């Protein structure tokens, strides 16, 4: 299972992607993924309006060091999506078991990668609903930090803390 | 090894029938100049020299062969013979063109292996240097040396490939690919259903890949050329604006502010990107949530100290760890309960995640917004505003000059805008070419090489499956990957070596007019290229070629058509002085207008020069024939060749007198 990017996300980012400092398509995937994970937005790929394409089969070099933090955010998002109490050992273990696969290069199971793709798709909608198509990297990056802040402030991450 | 050109002769071809003997008093002189007026067949001679030496005419189509037949000539055959000296031993190749059959044949004369043989048979030690790619490095037209520095071309890369004979690696890949295709064609498919379709797809996709790779290569060259031009235009505009008496200081200051803010925007954007790529830095709440996840896993004792593997091992024992007998009921129970534990490798993943959370997010209790991120965003905002202000000032000052009637500035400004737009277009094309494979795109419409290569791999796989040649196909692909990697590694290594050697040679040869190469990739790049003269550029090209050719202690002749053609007299002098220092044998095919400055400087620099003049015998040149000197003349039915310095030097006067 590979990481997939929404076709319309490619178009939306077309003016900034592939130009410094956005090195690969995984950068675009990551912006969408983080937006999806912090806002809790996710949707399935494959429907005509959500057509997608494979971008890579692994975290790219720029994200290898952050891989485990991103996986951690995915686990948190999935626990939250299924309403699992983080103190329920069996449920937490099952969730981790379903998302991780030590035999893949990403460390994620097929389900884990699929969920990443779904959150990236949701994040793509989240960004496109709140900002015009980006034309300059420097402007988009500053706005992205703001958009993440808004999503965190009004989104489910605050709830994670409350559970604790 | 030393290869020298002793001479050549042609008969029954589009170029005149002549025998050119380069020997002078039994020796090959360091410089030979052959004067051939326009229309005498310099280009044809050069083409036939190459074809005779590289054996490539065997592949010519009948039309290619007949292209060399002289118009209105009824000869059934033409021949071109090249005499070489290899380490002072004679070696002759003859190319025979049969116009009736439209075929090309060769004859090789090598006394070391028994004299004349039918066919193209270069001795094994000479063969690598007679491949067409290699010959192009020492038989070329005068503009080739300059093209080595043209960022729109890839001549330097081709030269490096030829030097390392990297084309042999391509040959290996192509041979393997051909072998697989032959096996696939000769296979015994269980069913031919779909085979023809997949084979057509193979051809179609492979052709498109070649087209797009060529476009990619050209676009990269164009991009570099445009970037250089834009730099040059900016320089020109800045110098022009600096001459203004009134706005000079303000413009310079705005330009400096613009350059400074652009640099800051670029650096800070890169820095911000690095922060954004780290979720823990991106927002304090994200850091808090991850630390909370780690704390919860700790309190849940996940991962457990015992892994599922322990229980799997236990099932193989006769007794349980508690001492009871391991019966079927116990085995079933342990199997069911072992699923409540994570595997050892899963435990490893979770522990790695917990370690990373601790590493990136020290557990300090309260998480504050990252001050580095905030200050980077603020600094970037300031830099963007500075850039806007500086851009506005620079544009306003330029506009003021344009409104005052500065047409030159308007012209440069317009060109700058156009070139900037062109860069964007080319960057977009290159981006599409290097885009990941989007399966929703059509093969015929996509520019993505990744998608096309994926589809070609799929077509190849299908063909190999249908024809039951899967193993040989896998082996072929592996071999092609190895070959491709080896080629890149060799290229990069040799580039560095040649760069150092070239710069050492440049220091010595151009000591009075210093210039250095900055880097070599597809083309040569001079340090401060924008300021280099045409003469320097050409000199660097020649020095690069000779450095490449003479690696490995080999010596080759340099055979150049119009070596001084595009230069003015001053630069011709410089190149004329340089060439004899670079090569042991220089053979130049020149026209009379090239002589000024060039010939005298060659004479001054070379110990001996052989002069030949060739012209066609036509009704228009009858007076030249009538005025031929008594000695040193050889004539055929359609040409005359005259040896001698005086006739060579006075030939332009002869020409003018009859024009």
């Amino acid at each position: 299972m590979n990481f997939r990017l929404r076709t319309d996300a490619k178009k939306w980012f077309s003016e900034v992607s592939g130009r410094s400092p956005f090195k690969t398509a995984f950068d675009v995937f990551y912006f969408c993924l983080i937006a999806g994970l912090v806002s809790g937005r996710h949707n399935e790929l494959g429907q005509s309006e959500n057509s997608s394409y494979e971008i890579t089969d692994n975290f790219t070099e720029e994200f290898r060091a952050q891989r485990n933090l991103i996986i951690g955010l995915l686990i948190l998002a999935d626990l939250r999506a299924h309403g699992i109490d983080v103190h329920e050992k069996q449920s937490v273990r099952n969730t981790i078991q379903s998302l991780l696969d030590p035999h893949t290069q990403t460390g994620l199971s097929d389900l884990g990668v699929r969920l990443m793709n779904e959150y990236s798709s949701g994040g793509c909608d989240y960004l496109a609903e709140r900002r015009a198509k980006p034309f300059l990297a420097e402007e988009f990056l500053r706005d992205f930090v703001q958009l993440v802040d808004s999503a965190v402030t009004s989104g489910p991450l605050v709830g994670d803390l409350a559970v604790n | 090894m030393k290869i020298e050109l002793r001479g050549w002769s042609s008969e029954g071809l589009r170029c005149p029938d002549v025998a050119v003997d380069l020997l002078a008093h039994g020796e090959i002189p360091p410089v030979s100049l052959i004067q051939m007026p326009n229309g005498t067949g310099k280009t044809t001679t050069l083409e036939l020299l190459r074809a005779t030496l590289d054996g490539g005419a065997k592949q010519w189509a009948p039309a290619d062969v007949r292209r060399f037949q002289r118009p209105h000539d009824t000869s059934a055959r033409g021949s071109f013979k090249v005499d070489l000296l290899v380490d002072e031993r004679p070696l002759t190749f003859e190319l025979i063109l049969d116009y009736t059959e439209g075929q090309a044949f060769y004859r090789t004369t090598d006394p070391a292996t028994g004299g004349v043989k039918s066919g193209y048979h270069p001795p094994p030690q000479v063969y690598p240097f007679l491949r067409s790619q290699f010959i192009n490095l020492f038989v070329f037209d005068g503009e080739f040396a300059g093209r080595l520095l043209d960022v729109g071309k890839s001549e330097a890369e081709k030269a490096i490939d030829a030097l390392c004979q990297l084309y042999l690696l391509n040959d290996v890949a192509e041979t393997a690919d051909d072998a697989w295709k032959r096996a696939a064609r000769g296979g015994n498919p269980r069913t031919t259903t779909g085979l023809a379709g997949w084979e057509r797809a193979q051809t179609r996709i492979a052709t498109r890949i070649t087209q797009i790779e060529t476009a990619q290569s050209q676009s990269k060259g164009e991009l570099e050329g445009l970037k250089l031009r834009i730099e040059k235009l900016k320089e020109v505009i800045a110098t022009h604006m600096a001459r203004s008496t009134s706005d000079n200081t303000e413009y310079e200051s705005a330009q400096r502010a613009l350059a400074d803010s652009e640099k800051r925007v670029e650096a800070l954007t890169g820095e911000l990107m690095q922060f954004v790529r780290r979720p823990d830095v991106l927002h304090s709440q994200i850091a808090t949530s991850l630390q909370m996840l780690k704390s919860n896993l700790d309190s849940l004792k996940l991962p457990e100290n015992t892994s599922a593997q322990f229980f799997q091992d236990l099932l193989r024992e006769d007794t349980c760890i508690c001492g009871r007998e391991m019966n079927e009921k116990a085995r079933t129970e342990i199997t069911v309960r072992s699923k409540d534990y994570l595997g050892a490798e899963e435990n490893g993943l979770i522990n790695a995640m917990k370690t990373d959370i601790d590493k990136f997010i020290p557990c300090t209790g309260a998480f504050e917004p990252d001050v580095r991120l905030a200050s980077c965003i603020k600094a970037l905002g300031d830099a963007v505003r500075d850039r806007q202000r500086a851009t506005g000032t620079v544009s306003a000052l330029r506009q003021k000059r344009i409104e005052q009637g500065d047409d030159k500035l308007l012209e440069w400004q317009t060109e700058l805008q156009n070139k900037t737009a062109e860069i964007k277009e080319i960057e977009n094309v290159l981006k599409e070419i290097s885009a990941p494979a989007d399966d929703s795109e059509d093969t015929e419409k996509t520019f993505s090489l990744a998608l096309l290569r994926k589809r070609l791999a799929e077509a190849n796989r299908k063909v190999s499956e249908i024809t039951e040649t899967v193993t040989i196909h896998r082996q072929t692909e592996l071999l092609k990957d190895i070959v491709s990697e080896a080629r890149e590694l060799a290229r990069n290594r040799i580039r560095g070596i040649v760069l150092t050697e070239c710069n050492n040679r440049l220091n010595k040869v151009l000591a009075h007019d210093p210039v250095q190469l900055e880097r070599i990739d597809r083309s040569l790049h001079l340090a401060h290229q924008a300021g280099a003269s045409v003469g320097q550029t050409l000199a660097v090209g020649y020095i690069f070629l000779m450095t490449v050719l003479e690696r490995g202690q080999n010596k080759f002749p340099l055979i150049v058509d119009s070596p001084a053609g595009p230069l003015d007299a001053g630069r011709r002098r410089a190149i004329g002085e340089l060439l004899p220092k670079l090569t042991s044998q220089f053979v130049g095919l020149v026209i009379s207008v090239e002589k000024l400055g060039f010939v005298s400087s060659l004479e001054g620099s070379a110990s001996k020069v052989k002069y030949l003049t060739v012209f066609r015998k036509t009704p228009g040149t009858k007076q030249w024939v009538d005025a031929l000197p008594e000695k040193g003349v050889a004539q055929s039915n359609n040409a005359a060749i005259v040896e001698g310095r005086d006739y060579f030097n006075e030939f332009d006067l002869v020409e003018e007198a009859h024009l």
Side-chain angles (χ1 to χ4, degrees):
Chain A
M1 188 100 182
N2 293 332
F3 293 120
R4 300 181 71 88
L5 183 67
R6 282 253 299 267
T7 306
D8 52 0
K10 180 172 83 165
K11 287 178 190 152
W12 199 72
F13 280 97
S14 64
E15 291 296 324
V16 287
S17 67
R19 294 195 171 92
S20 178
F22 296 0
K23 285 195 175 167
T24 63
F26 196 86
D27 276 321
V28 170
F29 178 85
Y30 171 80
F31 291 132
C32 298
L33 173 67
I34 289 292
L37 289 172
V38 296
S39 65
R41 292 272 294 265
H42 59 104
N43 48 38
E44 278 184 38
L45 292 172
Q47 297 142 14
S48 60
E49 68 273 25
N50 287 351
S51 71
S52 64
Y53 66 103
E54 288 174 8
I55 51 165
T56 174
D57 56 2
N58 199 0
F59 291 88
T60 54
E61 188 59 38
E62 297 78 26
F63 291 92
R64 296 261 158 84
Q66 275 67 49
R67 180 187 86 151
N68 286 326
L69 300 189
I70 297 170
I71 291 175
L73 285 175
L74 180 73
I75 292 169
L76 275 173
D78 200 43
L79 290 172
R80 189 193 310 131
H82 290 95
I84 294 170
D85 180 346
V86 291
H87 300 103
E88 283 178 25
K89 185 172 182 175
Q90 185 61 41
S91 305
V92 172
R93 187 198 288 123
N94 288 347
T95 299
I96 290 174
Q97 268 181 322
S98 68
L99 296 179
L100 301 190
D101 182 349
H103 303 108
T104 62
Q105 47 184 349
T106 56
L108 290 163
S109 64
D110 279 359
L111 175 67
V113 176
R114 205 181 78 210
L115 274 183
M116 292 269 256
N117 292 339
E118 290 183 3
Y119 276 104
S120 175
S121 171
C124 169
D125 289 335
Y126 182 86
L127 293 174
E129 285 162 11
R130 283 160 180 79
R131 196 199 187 280
K133 178 182 168 77
F135 283 88
L136 292 170
E138 57 268 29
E139 286 179 3
F140 172 75
L141 285 173
R142 284 187 297 158
D143 289 355
F144 179 70
V145 175
Q146 286 295 315
L147 287 167
V148 168
D149 184 60
S150 307
V152 168
T153 310
S154 59
L157 273 185
V158 176
D160 289 339
L161 269 186
V163 173
N164 199 33
Chain B
M1 177 185 301
K2 185 178 185 183
I3 298 180
E4 294 168 290
L5 180 64
R6 190 188 183 286
W8 69 86
S9 60
S10 57
E11 194 179 350
L13 295 156
R14 221 169 51 202
C15 52
D17 297 348
V18 285
V20 175
D21 183 1
L22 298 178
L23 277 186
H25 309 294
E27 285 182 352
I28 302 278
V31 173
S32 299
L33 292 174
I34 298 129
Q35 182 168 222
M36 299 170 81
N38 284 328
T40 319
K42 284 202 311 295
T43 309
T44 307
T45 302
L46 214 66
E47 209 175 331
L48 286 163
L49 262 170
R50 286 198 197 104
T52 307
L53 290 174
D54 72 17
K58 283 178 290 187
Q59 316 298 330
W60 286 357
D64 295 328
V65 171
R66 292 183 186 118
R67 197 163 56 86
F68 287 93
Q69 187 169 23
R70 193 177 303 138
H72 316 299
D73 191 300
T74 51
S75 306
R77 286 185 162 205
S79 86
F80 196 88
K81 193 152 80 169
V82 181
D83 297 312
L84 300 177
L85 291 175
V86 178
D87 291 334
E88 300 186 353
R89 281 198 288 269
L91 175 67
T92 299
F93 295 101
E94 187 177 4
L95 169 62
I96 300 145
L97 301 180
D98 182 332
Y99 303 128
T100 314
E101 298 294 326
Q103 285 182 334
F105 304 94
Y106 282 90
R107 248 198 312 251
T108 307
T109 309
D110 181 0
T113 56
V116 183
K117 269 189 198 165
S118 178
Y120 176 75
H121 300 292
Q125 71 275 22
V126 181
Y127 178 67
F129 305 114
L130 295 183
R131 296 288 296 261
S132 65
Q133 296 92 331
F134 205 91
I135 287 174
N136 289 342
L137 299 182
F138 62 87
V139 183
F140 52 83
D141 68 69
E143 289 175 7
F144 175 68
R147 284 202 299 274
L148 289 161
L149 285 94
D150 184 343
V151 291
K153 308 263 189 298
S154 54
E155 303 298 347
E157 184 172 280
K158 285 180 195 160
I160 297 268
D161 283 7
L163 160 71
C164 305
Q165 295 173 25
L166 294 182
Y167 44 78
L168 295 177
L169 289 172
N170 287 351
D171 289 355
V172 170
E174 278 170 22
T175 306
D177 209 41
D178 286 346
W180 167 60
K181 282 177 181 156
R182 268 201 310 278
R185 275 196 298 272
N188 187 22
R190 282 188 197 141
T191 167
T192 54
T193 313
L195 180 60
W198 283 110
E199 283 175 340
R200 276 197 301 277
Q202 271 182 321
T203 311
R204 206 175 62 236
I205 300 168
T207 307
R208 189 145 171 80
I209 286 175
T210 308
Q211 287 167 344
I212 288 178
E213 281 175 341
T214 308
Q216 185 183 40
S217 171
Q218 282 170 351
S219 299
K220 280 181 180 169
E222 281 174 35
L223 192 63
E224 281 205 56
L226 282 169
K227 282 179 178 168
L228 277 177
R229 179 64 191 150
I230 282 178
E231 282 308 304
K232 186 81 185 166
L233 279 169
K234 282 181 178 170
E235 261 180 53
V236 168
I237 291 173
T239 313
H240 184 75
M241 289 294 289
R243 289 201 193 108
S244 160
T245 48
S246 56
D247 305 321
N248 178 4
T249 319
E250 194 184 355
Y251 183 80
E252 278 184 12
S253 144
Q255 272 283 60
R256 270 199 302 277
L258 179 59
D260 173 60
S261 57
E262 276 176 345
K263 267 189 202 154
R264 277 191 295 136
V265 168
E266 192 183 342
L268 287 163
T269 305
E271 201 179 317
L272 181 54
M273 185 72 188
Q274 294 304 321
F275 287 134
V276 168
R277 282 192 182 121
R278 288 186 54 182
D280 54 309
V281 176
L282 189 53
H283 201 286
S284 57
Q285 204 74 59
I286 294 179
T288 309
S289 295
L290 286 168
Q291 191 52 255
M292 184 212 73
L293 173 69
K294 194 251 171 192
S295 304
N296 276 327
L297 292 175
D298 283 344
S299 62
L300 293 173
K301 295 194 177 6
L302 280 175
E304 294 97 343
N305 289 330
T306 309
S307 75
Q309 187 62 41
F310 167 79
F311 297 103
Q312 295 301 320
D313 293 342
L314 188 61
L315 291 172
R316 292 192 205 102
E317 302 296 328
D318 295 332
T319 53
C320 180
I321 195 159
C322 60
R324 279 180 288 186
E325 186 194 349
M326 187 65 79
N327 56 27
E328 208 46 46
K329 189 179 172 207
R331 280 201 170 87
T332 308
E333 195 62 25
I334 289 172
T335 304
V336 170
R337 291 189 182 221
S338 73
K339 287 178 184 152
D340 291 342
Y341 290 82
L342 294 163
E345 287 160 322
E346 284 167 322
N347 286 351
L349 277 182
I350 296 169
N351 281 328
M353 183 174 71
K354 287 163 72 176
T355 305
D356 277 356
I357 291 174
D358 270 343
K359 185 171 93 180
F360 288 108
I361 315 163
C363 188
T364 54
F367 293 96
E368 295 298 325
D370 197 299
V371 286
R372 295 166 302 168
L373 177 69
S375 73
C376 180
I377 290 174
K378 185 182 175 312
L380 180 57
D382 293 343
V384 167
R385 270 189 298 280
D386 290 347
R387 185 181 62 181
Q388 275 167 349
R389 263 197 299 273
T391 307
T393 310
V394 167
S395 302
L397 289 171
R398 283 186 195 164
Q399 194 55 36
K400 191 173 155 192
R401 289 285 299 269
I402 289 168
E403 282 165 9
Q404 286 169 351
D406 191 335
D407 293 341
K408 204 66 208 167
L409 182 61
L410 176 63
E411 190 186 309
W412 289 326
Q413 175 91 349
T414 310
E415 190 186 346
L416 187 62
Q417 282 165 354
N418 292 342
K419 296 273 184 263
T420 308
E422 275 180 53
I423 279 195
K424 187 139 199 220
E425 271 178 37
I426 292 177
E427 279 179 344
N428 283 338
V429 169
L430 287 172
K431 210 166 71 178
E432 284 192 48
I433 290 174
S434 57
D438 179 350
D439 286 318
S440 64
E441 289 185 10
D442 277 354
T443 300
E444 303 303 328
K445 288 181 185 164
T446 187
F447 287 92
S448 162
L449 279 176
L451 179 63
L452 287 167
R453 287 181 184 135
K454 187 177 163 191
R455 296 223 166 121
L456 181 60
E458 173 67 8
N460 287 343
R461 193 179 58 78
K462 287 282 182 192
V463 169
S464 65
E465 274 174 14
I466 295 170
T467 57
E468 297 182 321
T469 54
V470 172
T471 304
I472 187 169
H473 177 236
R474 278 203 199 117
Q475 289 165 339
T476 304
E477 292 302 308
L478 179 64
L479 189 64
K480 280 158 72 179
D481 287 346
I482 292 169
V483 158
S484 168
E485 199 172 324
R487 191 176 48 228
E488 268 321 293
L489 284 172
R491 240 183 217 161
N492 289 335
R493 198 172 291 180
I494 201 78
R495 272 178 191 147
I497 296 168
V498 170
L499 182 70
T500 308
E501 287 179 6
C502 262
N503 280 334
N504 289 342
R505 204 161 182 165
L506 282 165
N507 279 336
K508 282 183 203 153
V509 179
L510 295 182
H512 59 289
D513 191 13
V515 62
Q516 287 280 285
L517 274 174
E518 185 183 84
R519 66 179 199 280
I520 301 171
D521 44 41
R522 298 169 71 250
S523 61
L524 307 180
H525 297 264
L526 290 182
H528 316 298
Q529 182 146 7
S533 68
V534 178
Q536 275 179 318
T537 306
L538 211 53
V540 170
Y542 276 118
I543 287 170
F544 167 78
L545 277 176
M546 295 320 296
T547 306
V548 163
L549 281 169
E550 293 187 359
R551 294 200 81 247
Q553 307 303 310
N554 296 310
K555 292 207 175 293
F556 300 90
L558 206 56
I559 305 158
V560 188
D561 174 14
S562 298
L567 302 174
D568 61 33
R571 286 165 187 145
R572 278 182 200 150
R573 248 175 236 118
I575 293 296
E577 280 173 21
L578 174 71
L579 284 170
K581 292 179 195 166
L582 296 179
T583 174
S584 53
Q585 187 189 10
F586 173 73
V587 180
L589 309 184
V590 299
I591 54 174
S592 59
V593 292
E594 277 181 83
K595 291 186 293 189
L596 181 65
F598 186 58
V599 174
S600 56
S601 59
L602 271 175
E603 272 182 341
S605 188
S607 56
K608 211 177 279 179
V609 180
K610 174 147 187 168
Y611 296 94
L612 294 168
T613 303
V614 179
F615 62 87
R616 280 186 199 277
K617 284 160 64 175
T618 64
T621 61
K622 185 173 180 308
Q623 286 163 294
W624 301 0
V625 176
D626 294 343
L628 279 170
E630 287 179 9
K631 288 184 178 171
V633 179
Q635 294 189 60
S636 67
N637 284 340
N638 54 31
I641 180 163
V642 185
E643 184 179 348
R645 181 177 183 272
D646 292 344
Y647 189 85
F648 183 94
N649 282 330
E650 287 160 14
F651 187 71
D652 41 353
L653 302 175
V654 175
E655 265 185 301
E656 278 170 23
H658 297 289
L659 282 174

